Amino acid sequence: MNSHVSASGQAYVGHQTGVHIGDVLHGASFYSTMSGDPPERRQEVAQAHLDGGNPREAEEILRTLFKERHLTTERAYLFVLSVLSGRSFVEITASLSDEIHHAMRITGHHSRDRWCEALDVIDVLIRYAHSEYDEETVAQDLAAALKQFSELDEKRQNEIDRHLGQILSGAVQERITGKRKYQVAEARMGGDRVRRAWKFFEADPRPPMKWLAPPIRAAATEWRDAVLGSAALALAIVCIPLAGVTVGAVAGVGIIAAGGSLALRYATVNQTSVRHTESLRAMYWPQPYWHQQETEFGKLVDQCFRNGEVGGLSAITAGHREYLKQRLHQQYIDYRVHPSELKWLIMWHAARIARQHYYPTAAPPNAPQTTSFRTIGLIVWGVGLATLLLSGQFLPFLLAVGSWWGIRGIARIAALAPAQALLNHDADLLLAEEQAEYQRWRHVLADRPSDAEMARWLALDKAFLRDDALQRANLRERDLVTHVVLTERAPFARKSRVSDGPSRYEAYMVYVFLLTQYGMRTARTHLYLPTGDTRNEHRQMFTYDAVASVSVVEKGVRVFLADGSPSIDNRSDRVFQLTLLNGECVAEVREKSRVSINNRYVEDDEQGATSAAFTSGFDSALQVLEAVATEGRDWIVRDRERRQRWALNWCTSSDR
């Protein structure tokens, strides 16, 4: 049987914009420890790793605390959860079983508390699972286990249900989650998820800086006009005595001086406005040479304008986009600022343009009044010239005419300082508005969800999708031999993480494998994490005999110590493929780079690595699906044999 059910409509890939602008890294430090940290701090970090879906880190920290004899019942409980979390029964080796039982025995030397009770429940549930595989009569044991489980507080129930999912049998899961699974759909949307989850993928905002406009400089022609015009007026005054001093000549010079002064004063005011306008035009409508040297700031500016309703990348927004590109690059390039830290600033500018709210400017001078006084000054200046001419002062007249160029040149030069002051005032006003938006944006992000909340939402989504797949297939948990849930980053999904924590993605491709006695059912779904929406489901059903191969391709290098233990495990990429006999690839899941140094996995940021191994379920899935591909339908019999052997090891370890 090989049937397909696909959702209709266009494929959904979240915030696809054609440009991926880096990854967001939050500055939280609750995943970090330092040499000399007290046991309480290390336990807090281990708890954070466990809640965040990284149980192997939690396991190592708690194991170290045990070796140093920092023993408490709570740490024993957390250690047992971390060892069992994310592992199937075949991954719980005899050595790990011994460690678990040792941790449980430690609690016997302490007074009874809630942690001891939780450990008792874990022990009873696992013993039931083991005895079930030994085909013993366990109805009473199961009833007792369920009663003890129901008496725990809700948080302990959630933890046990979440971390022991790969260990407990379908029958146990069915009884445990019978009343709880209907709450998953509501719980996964709890914590005001829709309003808050998207904030996890926003970078910590960087405060704005004042943008100083380039200094305005006088052109050579303006200095030429000022010098030559002033010289012409001076020569005219000198020539008057040579031609004969008359009342008309003196009156003409006086009138010219009065009119020229008035014209110069208001011409300066007018030129201040002109200079100011020219500088704004040059600033907000620069030449589009920036396209020749596009930067990450430039890509983000185009992305924000493309996403916003501001005319996209049309000519309407070209000037403002070029202004922001040049400003941000020149202003922040030396401060190692990631473009995403200034996304809020770009979006704010885009929103202002969308509202046709242009940038703040100082109050311009009264243009009509300025023009009137300048015109009066020119008229008075002309009257003075006419007076000189009527008094017979022809040469001074000709020289005085040239003084007009002096008035114009001096006015433009004198306007430099006040125009620059206006630009600086503009910058102060703009900075004040940007600061207000910065504070508003910080307030918006103040309730950003923690990494543990993101991990919990993802875990609930996976449980919900598994339950949904069961319901669609008309199956119960007891019908399952086992199940596998894999996740990988969806195309174009944004990535974010806290320092030293696992990566979280805005959207996931979720693969659910339901393995029953008769065959396998798969479901692939696009999950948009901020809202919990799922789209474009693709389901398939086939028998085990239809599985042709399960392949895993790994790239990287492993370095071993003298005792054979791995020192460095640097696998740059792993690709899992499940292929049917007809050649169809049912599932292809990629796990990006991860580096293990002395058994501690870290992110390889230089290669854009992820911690998918901790949150995707990759390793556990490989063991199950490889067995299916290798053994065919007989894998169920082999699986039962493996479980029985493991049950024997568990009981043997418990008796020691």
Side-chain angles (χ1 to χ4, degrees):
M1 178 179 181
N2 184 12
S3 62
H4 302 267
V5 180
S6 300
S8 61
Q10 298 296 320
Y12 176 80
V13 291
H15 290 286
Q16 180 179 0
T17 60
V19 178
H20 179 62
I21 310 296
D23 301 318
V24 177
L25 177 67
H26 300 307
S29 60
F30 48 80
Y31 282 127
S32 303
T33 58
M34 299 179 63
S35 177
D37 278 347
E40 292 75 18
R41 167 60 183 169
R42 286 185 281 171
Q43 176 185 331
E44 179 184 354
V45 173
Q47 176 81 66
H49 277 298
L50 186 60
D51 293 341
N54 190 355
R56 302 292 81 82
E57 281 287 349
E59 175 186 342
E60 197 59 35
I61 294 172
L62 293 166
R63 180 178 287 114
T64 301
L65 287 174
F66 271 45
K67 289 179 180 179
E68 296 174 359
R69 305 190 67 80
H70 299 300
L71 311 176
T72 67
T73 56
E74 182 179 4
R75 289 169 194 160
Y77 167 75
L78 293 176
F79 177 71
V80 171
L81 282 186
S82 66
V83 173
L84 297 176
S85 180
R87 283 190 170 114
S88 63
F89 72 95
V90 294
E91 296 177 88
I92 307 297
T93 62
S95 175
L96 290 176
S97 295
D98 289 341
E99 288 189 283
I100 292 173
H101 288 301
H102 176 66
M104 289 181 171
R105 283 193 293 268
I106 287 175
T107 61
H109 303 290
H110 295 75
S111 58
R112 297 286 299 175
D113 57 14
R114 54 179 177 162
W115 310 111
C116 296
E117 294 172 356
L119 281 172
D120 288 344
V121 170
I122 293 174
D123 186 38
V124 173
L125 288 174
I126 295 178
R127 284 181 178 275
Y128 168 77
H130 297 169
S131 58
E132 182 184 41
Y133 299 129
D134 285 335
E135 299 181 354
E136 297 178 2
T137 303
V138 290
Q140 292 182 350
D141 293 339
L142 177 58
L146 294 176
K147 183 176 184 300
Q148 288 181 266
F149 179 81
S150 64
E151 291 173 352
L152 296 176
D153 62 76
E154 184 177 355
K155 185 175 182 181
R156 299 289 85 76
Q157 292 183 33
N158 290 334
E159 289 172 344
I160 293 173
D161 188 18
R162 172 184 173 186
H163 295 296
L164 271 64
Q166 296 295 319
I167 298 293
L168 302 179
S169 68
V172 176
Q173 286 282 2
E174 182 173 305
R175 295 291 296 274
I176 287 179
T177 62
K179 297 180 180 179
R180 294 160 51 81
K181 67 180 180 181
Y182 298 105
Q183 302 171 359
V184 170
E186 297 181 3
R188 64 190 284 264
M189 302 309 298
D192 208 0
R193 174 177 178 171
V194 174
R195 188 184 65 82
R196 297 175 57 230
W198 64 270
K199 301 177 184 180
F200 188 83
F201 300 96
E202 299 296 329
D204 293 328
R206 182 68 67 106
M209 298 168 58
K210 182 178 179 179
W211 174 242
L212 296 176
I216 307 174
R217 304 187 185 280
T221 55
E222 294 167 351
W223 282 106
R224 180 199 63 194
D225 292 346
V227 171
L228 294 180
S230 299
L233 182 60
L235 288 175
I237 295 174
V238 171
C239 290
I240 288 176
L242 298 178
V245 178
T246 64
V247 174
V250 173
V253 170
I255 294 173
I256 288 173
S261 298
L262 186 63
L264 176 62
R265 176 181 177 183
Y266 286 98
T268 300
V269 174
N270 179 266
Q271 287 300 316
T272 297
S273 177
V274 171
R275 290 275 194 187
H276 182 234
T277 302
E278 289 175 347
S279 297
L280 291 178
R281 184 179 296 112
M283 185 186 304
Y284 298 132
W285 294 90
Q287 295 298 318
Y289 71 90
W290 206 253
H291 295 299
Q292 305 299 324
Q293 45 182 337
E294 194 68 89
T295 65
E296 286 196 348
F297 281 113
K299 295 175 184 176
L300 183 58
V301 168
D302 285 342
Q303 174 183 313
C304 292
F305 274 76
R306 185 187 297 111
N307 292 344
E309 298 178 1
V310 293
L313 303 183
S314 65
I316 298 175
T317 64
H320 295 284
R321 287 187 284 111
E322 295 300 328
Y323 154 73
L324 284 173
K325 292 177 184 180
Q326 296 187 30
R327 169 189 168 179
L328 297 179
H329 177 77
Q330 296 174 13
Q331 203 171 14
Y332 294 95
I333 190 63
D334 295 331
Y335 292 91
R336 300 179 64 87
V337 176
H338 195 282
S340 60
E341 296 176 272
L342 294 169
K343 182 181 177 182
W344 68 271
L345 181 62
I346 300 171
M347 293 301 297
W348 179 76
H349 279 272
R352 288 174 62 86
I353 297 171
R355 297 192 303 267
Q356 296 182 344
H357 188 151
Y358 296 102
Y359 298 95
T361 59
N366 190 325
Q369 184 180 14
T370 299
T371 302
S372 299
F373 280 109
R374 185 184 60 171
T375 302
I376 293 173
L378 290 175
I379 293 173
V380 172
W381 177 77
V383 171
L385 289 178
T387 303
L388 276 180
L389 185 61
L390 293 174
S391 64
Q393 302 286 342
F394 297 104
L395 181 60
F397 167 78
L398 294 176
L399 292 173
V401 170
S403 65
W404 165 246
W405 282 271
I407 293 174
R408 187 176 63 180
I410 293 173
R412 287 188 64 83
I413 294 173
L416 293 177
Q420 192 72 56
L422 286 177
L423 290 175
N424 290 337
H425 186 60
D426 290 345
D428 290 333
L429 293 176
L430 182 59
L431 178 63
E433 293 194 28
E434 290 176 344
Q435 286 281 8
E437 173 62 14
Y438 168 71
Q439 295 299 333
R440 187 196 71 82
W441 187 246
R442 286 189 62 192
H443 179 72
V444 168
L445 298 182
D447 62 345
R448 181 162 50 195
S450 67
D451 188 71
E453 286 182 282
M454 299 299 292
R456 179 174 179 272
W457 281 326
L458 178 60
L460 289 170
D461 285 339
K462 291 161 68 173
F464 172 78
L465 292 175
R466 185 192 73 104
D467 293 341
D468 184 63
L470 280 171
Q471 183 178 1
R472 287 172 178 268
N474 196 26
L475 295 173
R476 298 180 301 171
E477 283 85 350
R478 66 173 58 250
D479 296 325
L480 294 179
V481 177
T482 189
H483 73 278
V484 172
V485 181
L486 287 173
T487 61
E488 70 169 344
R489 181 182 196 170
F492 302 100
R494 289 194 295 173
K495 166 187 169 184
S496 181
R497 66 182 179 90
V498 299
S499 301
D500 299 322
S503 298
R504 309 293 178 196
Y505 302 115
E506 192 175 38
Y508 289 87
M509 297 305 301
V510 182
Y511 297 81
V512 179
F513 299 84
L514 304 178
L515 288 81
T516 69
Q517 184 177 354
Y518 303 102
M520 183 188 305
R521 298 171 183 264
T522 70
R524 183 185 70 222
T525 306
H526 181 281
L527 169 67
Y528 185 58
L529 191 66
T531 61
D533 294 342
T534 59
R535 290 176 171 83
N536 303 327
E537 184 182 45
H538 181 197
R539 290 184 283 150
Q540 293 176 286
M541 293 73 76
F542 47 87
T543 65
Y544 296 119
D545 294 335
V547 178
S549 66
V550 172
S551 64
V552 179
V553 179
E554 291 188 348
K555 298 179 182 179
V557 60
R558 301 175 71 192
V559 179
F560 297 89
L561 299 174
D563 61 359
S565 61
S567 172
I568 298 178
D569 182 359
N570 184 351
R571 283 174 277 182
S572 60
D573 197 9
R574 294 199 295 178
V575 181
F576 161 82
Q577 288 183 325
L578 176 63
T579 307
L580 301 182
L581 288 173
N582 62 5
E584 181 182 2
C585 181
V586 176
E588 179 175 317
V589 184
R590 296 180 180 273
E591 179 193 58
K592 298 298 183 181
S593 305
R594 62 177 190 165
V595 180
S596 174
I597 301 178
N598 295 328
N599 293 321
R600 181 175 184 271
Y601 285 103
V602 297
E603 295 236 356
D604 186 359
D605 287 321
E606 189 171 334
Q607 300 182 33
T610 70
S611 297
F614 303 131
T615 57
S616 67
F618 202 94
D619 292 326
S620 297
L622 288 183
Q623 297 198 27
V624 174
L625 298 178
E626 283 178 348
V628 172
T630 304
E631 301 164 358
R633 182 168 181 170
D634 291 340
W635 85 272
I636 298 177
V637 177
R638 304 288 183 268
D639 184 71
R640 179 174 293 274
E641 293 174 353
R642 285 188 288 266
R643 290 174 182 264
Q644 289 174 344
R645 288 196 299 271
W646 181 71
L648 179 62
N649 290 334
W650 175 269
C651 295
T652 302
S653 174
S654 177
D655 293 338
R656 286 200 295 268

